[in-house]
């Protein structure tokens, strides 16, 4: 038994971190804030060349066929860099659903996703939170209705849309496809859209796909938790570095107990969460019976401590932390947006209670 | 990540299971003198099979095997399953023995480790003093050399099980003129020495719970010089080894407590409805479950580090802080679920689970303070874990 990361794991994490620090520094993220969509295809192509587009795609289908733990470490590095990319939808969720659902259409798309040539967004919010009466229905083969907060949709080639907990469809995003409008959120580093389906013909509809949808949500939640963890890490690192150089009252602020305790409280929350994340991601491939509960808990927990760490680390910087110039807000807002992207903490804990028979099943 | 059990471990599990079905442990094997025969018999049997003192070398009375994380997990699971403690949860085995293995002389190891692991000798810990709380290094109990002995004078406090112990590992000041952290020695003191007076210390948990604390008064107590562990004046360094073991032994069984809490919420009714049916209480339970799971897996990560001999770094420094607070918070939910009845005390008529949750609440508050207060832990994490600068020293008075 060995509870920890292997050399290969560490290599993935460190090499991606190094690549992002050099090629997508925060100045580049700031530039992308002005773009129509932050999911710049040149960043994604570079990540695809490094093998991250196909991290979960089987080896025979142009992917690297790695584990969800490997993928989660990549998500963590992307969160650490506040890097815009369609990794959550196209790297994690869509390939998980397609691989689980199977079939020749799914295989062909997996091939394209693995090479990075095909980018796929996901519209799944209505599975756990219906706002503004959103929802997608299928009538006479065509899709009607709308989906809110679709992930990584506006610069994508294909969109996976959940119709209900047992059915999902895949549609093209070309001229004959749905109307996709990017919704500007606080988080300039992630793409979320409203999608309106006015009788769109799907490329394929997967029925009896409850298991595929469940696995897609589990993988997405674990990867999103990893993204939040990476963002928290980055914020703590910046706070500790600042506390070691900033002087007030003739002393380094890091020598004041009040500042010290803010920093220790943040790291005391983060380190055990990292252990839970490793175990949850490992369970996805090795002990899938345990994953439904763990995926709910790990994302709800990271959402809670993430909000606290985002707030405290900004406070360590004092007023300058609140300015646009200091950049900290890119992470603060990425964490804030992630909190509700795949189910808010109350919903996830309710799911966790249901899974254990503590609450009546819906 | 490799959490697979291979087939040889299945054999090991069956072996432990068979042992537990064939051998009935004594009803109690606590630290009192009356329990000594059953305690020593049971612990000796466990050592013989390697379920206790497994990695303590044979020549010191252990089983002499190399560390194996999986076997440890299996033994814990199997003993938990039948509700039997795997050994004696006391300061001698958990703190003194590791310290002697690191710093003791060959003679001291041979003399003390075996009887301690077998439960023949119960130890207490003489660190804290009334005037030195978090500033432990300011301790004043003195030891003056006199021929082959030291003569000890002073007072210790928070000495749990002093009333049952035969021996005490105690910190004393042997060089009064040396700087604060220097001049402290670590001595093994027999509790039947003339000049020792023990007084029970009343705490907020009163008669509820099972932990007794004492004050120990020392008047001209003679202890042989041969009982100093390590070098004279190096007691601070040695005590820090012991404290490290104390902090890691405060690893509470958060998952077990969570299960117990969930059971309480299913049984306890409010207006005829189980507390578990309340979305408010349930949400709090789920929040705590997430924290319990983080600490469970964090514990596995720490165990892996220690078995591989890798430093755990900042991840290791946070364990005590987080576990003690989690324990307190779980007790807090239980008390809220019991509502008015949660305030019942002294085994009153409607008391639940013999006051377990009231006791846990107060005892875990004690643990947040003891073994280094939460605030001291945070300083350690910040300075040793994150490399933040120390606070400037106050000007000399």
């Amino acid at each position: 038994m060995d509870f920890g990361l292997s050399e290969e794991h560490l290599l993935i994490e460190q090499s991606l971190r190094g690549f992002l620090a050099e090629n997508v520094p925060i100045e580049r993220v700031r530039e992308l804030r002005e773009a129509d969509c932050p999911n710049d295809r040149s960043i994604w192509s570079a990540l695809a060349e490094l093998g991250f587009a196909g991290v979960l795609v089987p080896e025979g289908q142009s992917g690297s066929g790695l584990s969800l733990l490997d993928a989660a470490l990549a998500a963590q590095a992307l969160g650490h860099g506040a890097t815009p990319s369609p990794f959550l939808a196209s790297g994690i969720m869509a390939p998980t659903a397609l691989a689980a659902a199977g079939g020749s259409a799914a295989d062909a798309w997996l091939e394209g996703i693995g090479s990075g040539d095909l980018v796929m967004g996901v519209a799944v919010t209505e599975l756990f939170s219906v706002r503004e009466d959103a929802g997608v229905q299928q009538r006479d083969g065509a899709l009607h209705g709308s989906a809110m907060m679709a992930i990584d949709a506006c610069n994508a080639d294909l969109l996976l849309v959940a119709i209900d907990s047992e059915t999902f469809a895949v549609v093209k995003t070309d001229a004959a496809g749905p109307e996709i409008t990017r919704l500007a959120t606080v988080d300039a580093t992630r793409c979320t859209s409203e999608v309106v389906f006015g009788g769109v013909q799907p490329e394929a509809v997967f029925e009896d796909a409850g298991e595929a949808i469940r696995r897609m949500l589990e993988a997405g939640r674990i990867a999103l938790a990893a993204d939040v963890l990476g963002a928290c890490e980055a914020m703590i690192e910046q706070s500790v570095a600042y506390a070691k150089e900033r002087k007030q009252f003739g002393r380094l602020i890091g020598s004041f107990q009040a500042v010290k305790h803010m920093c220790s409280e943040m790291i005391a929350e983060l380190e055990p969460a990292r252990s839970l994340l490793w175990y949850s991601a490992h369970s996805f491939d090795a002990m899938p019976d345990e994953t439904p509960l763990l995926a709910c808990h790990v994302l709800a927990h990271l959402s809670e401590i993430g909000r606290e760490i985002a707030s405290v680390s900004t406070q360590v910087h004092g007023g300058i932390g609140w300015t646009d110039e200091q950049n900290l807000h890119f992470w603060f807002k990425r964490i804030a947006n992630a909190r509700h992207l795949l189910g808010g903490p109350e919903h996830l804990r309710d799911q966790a209670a249901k899974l254990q028979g503590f609450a009546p099943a819906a | 990540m490799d959490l697979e059990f291979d087939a040889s471990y299945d054999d090991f599990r069956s072996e432990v299971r068979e042992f537990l079905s064939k051998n009935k442990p004594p009803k109690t094997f606590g630290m009192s003198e009356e329990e000594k025969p059953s305690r020593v018999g049971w612990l000796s049997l466990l050592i013989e099979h390697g379920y206790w003192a497994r990695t303590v070398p044979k020549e010191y009375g252990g089983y002499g095997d190399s560390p194996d994380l999986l076997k440890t997990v299996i033994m814990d699971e199997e003993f938990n399953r039948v509700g039997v403690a795997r050994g004696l949860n006391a300061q001698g085995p958990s703190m003194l023995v590791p310290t002697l293995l690191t710093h003791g002389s060959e003679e001291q190891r041979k003399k003390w480790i075996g009887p301690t692991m077998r439960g023949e000798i119960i130890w207490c810990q003489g660190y804290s003093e009334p005037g030195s709380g978090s500033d432990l290094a300011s301790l004043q109990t003195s030891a003056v050399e006199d021929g082959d002995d030291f003569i000890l004078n002073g007072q210790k406090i928070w000495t749990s099980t002093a009333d049952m112990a035969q021996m005490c590992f105690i910190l004393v000041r042997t060089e009064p003129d040396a700087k604060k952290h220097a001049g402290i020695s670590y001595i093994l003191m027999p509790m039947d020495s003339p000049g020792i007076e023990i007084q029970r210390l009343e705490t907020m948990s009163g008669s509820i719970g099972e932990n007794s604390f004492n004050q120990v008064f020392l008047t001209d107590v003679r202890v042989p010089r041969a009982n100093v562990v390590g070098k004279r004046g190096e007691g601070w360094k040695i005590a820090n080894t012991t404290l490290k073991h104390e902090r890691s032994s405060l690893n509470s069984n958060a998952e077990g407590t969570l299960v117990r809490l969930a059971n309480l919420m299913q049984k306890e009714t409010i207006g005829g409805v189980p507390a578990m049916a309340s979305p408010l209480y349930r949400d709090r339970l789920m929040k705590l479950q997430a924290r319990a799971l983080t600490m469970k897996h964090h514990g596995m990560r720490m165990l892996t580090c220690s078995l591989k001999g890798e430093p755990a770094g900042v991840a290791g420094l946070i364990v005590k802080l987080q576990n003690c607070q989690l324990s307190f918070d779980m007790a807090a939910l239980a008390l809220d679920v019991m509502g008015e009845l949660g305030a019942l005390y002294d085994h009153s008529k409607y008391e639940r689970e013999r006051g377990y949750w009231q006791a846990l609440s107060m005892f875990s508050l004690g643990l947040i303070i003891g073994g280094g207060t939460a605030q001291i832990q945070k300083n350690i994490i910040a300075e040793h874990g994150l490399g933040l600068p120390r606070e400037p020293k106050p000007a000399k008075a």
Side-chain angles (χ1 to χ4, degrees):
Chain A
M1 173 144 142
D2 183 357
F3 191 101
L5 299 184
S6 65
E7 305 244 325
E8 291 78 17
H9 289 137
L10 291 170
L11 196 67
I12 288 180
E13 198 184 357
Q14 285 158 6
S15 64
L16 184 51
R17 247 181 222 203
F19 171 83
L20 293 173
E22 197 161 314
N23 296 282
V24 198
I26 197 69
E27 294 76 25
R28 177 86 182 106
V29 176
R30 183 178 281 279
E31 282 165 25
L32 288 168
R33 179 161 68 167
E34 312 304 328
D36 290 338
C37 172
N39 284 352
D40 185 87
R41 285 294 271 256
S42 72
I43 296 176
W44 187 240
S45 301
L47 288 171
E49 245 170 69
L50 295 172
F52 290 106
V55 62
L56 292 182
V57 173
E59 267 185 295
Q61 290 166 291
S62 79
S64 348
L66 294 179
S67 68
L68 189 68
L69 179 54
D70 295 295
L73 294 170
Q76 191 183 320
L78 292 167
H80 185 270
T83 311
S85 86
F87 187 66
L88 182 59
S90 206
I92 303 279
M93 295 178 70
T96 302
L98 292 174
S104 57
D107 284 348
W109 288 322
L110 278 171
E111 188 90 28
I113 288 172
S115 64
D117 296 335
L118 199 63
V119 174
M120 200 155 167
V122 298
V124 297
T125 304
E126 283 65 42
L127 291 173
F128 41 84
S129 175
V130 176
R131 304 274 167 164
E132 301 287 331
D133 294 328
V136 179
Q137 305 86 37
Q138 196 185 1
R139 284 197 302 273
D140 305 326
L143 302 181
H144 299 267
S146 68
M148 292 285 279
M149 307 310 273
I151 301 167
D152 300 329
C154 73
N155 249 358
D157 307 297
L158 288 170
L159 183 67
L160 182 158
V161 51
I163 296 171
D164 55 45
S165 61
E166 299 292 323
T167 319
F168 72 87
V170 174
V171 299
K172 276 192 181 162
T173 59
D174 58 13
E179 189 187 314
I180 300 175
T181 313
R182 182 167 175 239
L183 296 171
T185 68
V186 289
D187 180 7
T189 69
R190 202 183 280 286
C191 163
T192 40
S193 307
E194 179 183 15
V195 186
V196 178
F197 299 84
V200 173
Q201 285 297 327
E203 298 299 302
V205 175
F206 295 83
E207 286 167 344
D208 298 322
E211 168 81 2
I213 290 174
R214 185 174 63 76
R215 293 287 279 170
M216 165 176 65
L217 284 179
E218 286 169 14
R221 283 167 178 164
I222 292 168
L224 187 58
D227 189 296
V228 172
L229 192 142
C232 289
E233 250 177 342
M235 293 193 85
I236 296 175
E237 283 164 15
Q238 291 176 64
S239 302
V240 170
Y242 189 73
K244 286 179 187 173
E245 63 175 42
R246 169 75 170 169
K247 278 192 173 172
Q248 289 275 271
F249 306 103
R251 277 164 62 179
L252 289 171
I253 62 166
S255 70
F256 288 104
Q257 207 169 57
V259 175
K260 266 186 201 162
H261 286 193
M262 286 201 277
C263 293
S264 0
E265 282 160 14
M266 290 193 283
I267 203 78
E269 294 295 344
L270 191 78
E271 281 307 323
R274 188 195 304 280
S275 307
L276 180 62
L277 179 81
W278 290 352
Y279 187 80
S280 305
H282 178 69
S283 82
F284 186 83
D285 296 293
M287 300 161 281
D289 291 351
E290 293 189 38
T291 314
L293 181 67
L294 289 164
C296 287
H297 272 319
V298 76
L299 180 55
H301 184 66
L302 257 314
S303 293
E304 299 289 12
I305 69 165
R307 174 180 272 178
E308 194 61 22
I309 289 171
S311 157
V312 173
S313 59
T314 308
Q315 292 175 52
V316 168
H317 288 76
I320 198 78
W322 205 60
T323 64
D324 177 62
E325 174 203 341
Q326 185 70 30
N327 295 324
L328 272 175
H329 59 90
F330 283 106
W331 286 274
F332 183 101
K333 293 166 181 170
R334 188 170 172 116
I335 292 168
N337 188 26
R339 186 176 172 96
H340 297 285
L341 216 49
L342 290 176
E346 284 77 15
H347 168 78
L348 294 169
R349 287 194 291 267
D350 190 43
Q351 289 296 111
K354 285 185 172 117
L355 284 166
Q356 297 171 92
F358 292 155
Chain B
M1 271 291 180
D2 174 13
L3 308 176
E4 297 291 313
F5 289 71
D6 77 34
S8 70
Y9 288 105
D10 293 341
D11 296 343
F12 182 72
R13 189 184 290 276
S14 329
E15 180 196 311
V16 181
R17 219 170 259 195
E18 194 183 320
F19 171 86
L20 286 168
S21 69
K22 280 195 183 150
N23 296 281
K24 289 284 160 255
K27 271 204 187 89
T28 61
F29 46 99
M31 284 174 261
S32 69
E33 193 57 27
E34 305 84 78
E35 291 163 290
K36 188 174 174 182
S38 58
R39 174 176 73 228
V40 174
W42 177 243
L43 293 175
S44 303
L45 185 68
L46 292 186
I47 294 173
E48 193 186 306
H49 285 81
Y51 303 143
W52 175 236
R54 188 173 184 92
T55 57
V56 173
K58 269 206 158 76
E59 63 264 39
Y60 308 137
Y63 184 73
D65 199 6
S66 50
D68 185 324
L69 178 59
L70 269 188
K71 285 188 174 168
T72 306
V73 170
I74 290 170
M75 287 187 286
D76 284 341
E77 279 177 3
E78 291 304 315
F79 276 73
N80 275 338
R81 213 169 50 85
V82 294
V84 178
R86 190 166 70 79
L88 183 67
N89 181 18
Q91 290 175 327
S94 69
M95 294 169 71
L96 177 76
V97 167
T99 305
L100 285 182
L101 284 170
T102 316
H103 298 288
S105 66
E106 189 60 17
E107 199 191 337
Q108 287 168 339
R109 294 177 188 180
K110 288 223 162 94
K111 183 170 180 187
W112 301 112
I113 293 178
T116 303
M117 294 311 290
R118 289 192 297 273
E120 289 161 15
I121 303 173
I122 298 298
W123 292 81
C124 58
Q125 176 207 59
Y127 282 12
S128 298
E129 293 185 9
S132 60
S134 291
D135 187 10
L136 179 60
S138 69
L139 62 89
Q140 291 301 323
T141 294
S142 69
V144 177
E145 212 174 309
D146 182 54
D148 285 341
D149 295 334
F150 275 108
I151 300 176
L152 277 56
N153 279 286
Q155 182 191 349
K156 293 286 171 180
I157 193 170
W158 301 113
T159 322
S160 48
T161 65
D163 46 344
M164 293 181 258
Q166 289 81 50
M167 291 292 297
C168 177
F169 49 98
I170 186 170
L171 288 182
V172 293
R173 192 164 289 287
T174 40
E175 276 79 21
D177 298 327
K179 279 194 181 160
K180 211 163 90 169
H181 292 78
I184 293 173
S185 295
Y186 189 110
I187 298 185
L188 310 178
M189 175 181 81
M191 289 300 282
D192 59 0
S193 316
I196 298 181
E197 191 203 331
I198 299 165
Q199 243 177 48
R200 190 185 153 90
L201 181 70
E202 292 302 327
T203 64
M204 69 184 280
S205 68
S207 61
I208 210 160
E210 287 156 2
N211 294 279
S212 69
F213 290 97
N214 305 276
Q215 303 195 72
V216 178
F217 299 88
L218 308 173
T219 313
D220 296 331
V221 180
R222 297 190 86 92
V223 182
R225 271 170 48 191
N227 284 18
V228 173
V229 177
K231 288 204 183 86
R232 174 182 171 155
E234 282 189 352
W236 184 252
K237 193 180 85 189
I238 294 163
N240 266 305
T241 318
T242 323
L243 280 175
K244 212 170 74 189
H245 287 288
E246 177 174 31
R247 281 169 199 154
S248 60
S249 74
L250 291 176
N251 231 330
S252 56
N253 176 13
E255 211 191 14
T257 312
L258 200 280
V259 169
R260 190 168 179 160
L261 179 53
N263 289 339
L264 172 80
M265 284 176 55
Q266 279 166 322
K267 271 200 316 246
E268 189 68 35
T269 58
I270 305 153
V273 180
M276 190 65 98
S278 151
L280 297 177
Y281 289 131
R282 208 165 55 219
D283 190 62
R284 279 178 67 185
L285 179 72
M286 289 299 98
K287 273 189 187 168
L288 290 168
Q289 185 174 48
R291 287 169 64 195
L293 283 170
T294 63
M295 292 318 293
K296 175 191 172 184
H297 295 114
H298 196 65
M300 287 167 77
R301 176 175 156 200
M302 292 303 100
L303 201 53
T304 304
C305 283
S306 87
L307 291 181
K308 285 167 124 180
E310 287 171 2
V314 68
L317 299 175
I318 56 100
V319 174
K320 192 250 173 189
L321 179 72
Q322 294 301 78
N323 272 333
C324 295
Q325 187 63 47
L326 176 57
S327 248
F328 183 77
D329 294 346
M330 289 198 283
L333 175 56
L335 294 181
D336 287 349
V337 162
M338 294 190 285
E340 303 80 16
L341 302 182
L344 293 177
Y345 202 60
D346 236 359
H347 308 310
S348 320
K349 192 174 167 192
Y350 297 105
E351 183 195 50
R352 311 299 203 233
E353 300 182 48
R354 287 196 64 76
Y356 172 82
W357 297 105
Q358 286 92 326
L360 181 66
S361 166
M362 288 182 266
F363 190 64
S364 53
L365 172 61
L367 287 183
I368 290 173
I369 302 168
T373 65
Q375 288 66 31
I376 290 288
Q377 299 296 333
K378 289 178 193 175
N379 284 353
I380 293 172
I381 295 164
E383 288 165 16
H384 299 265
L386 299 173
L388 289 173
R390 294 183 65 90
E391 225 163 332
K393 289 215 164 74
K396 285 229 169 84

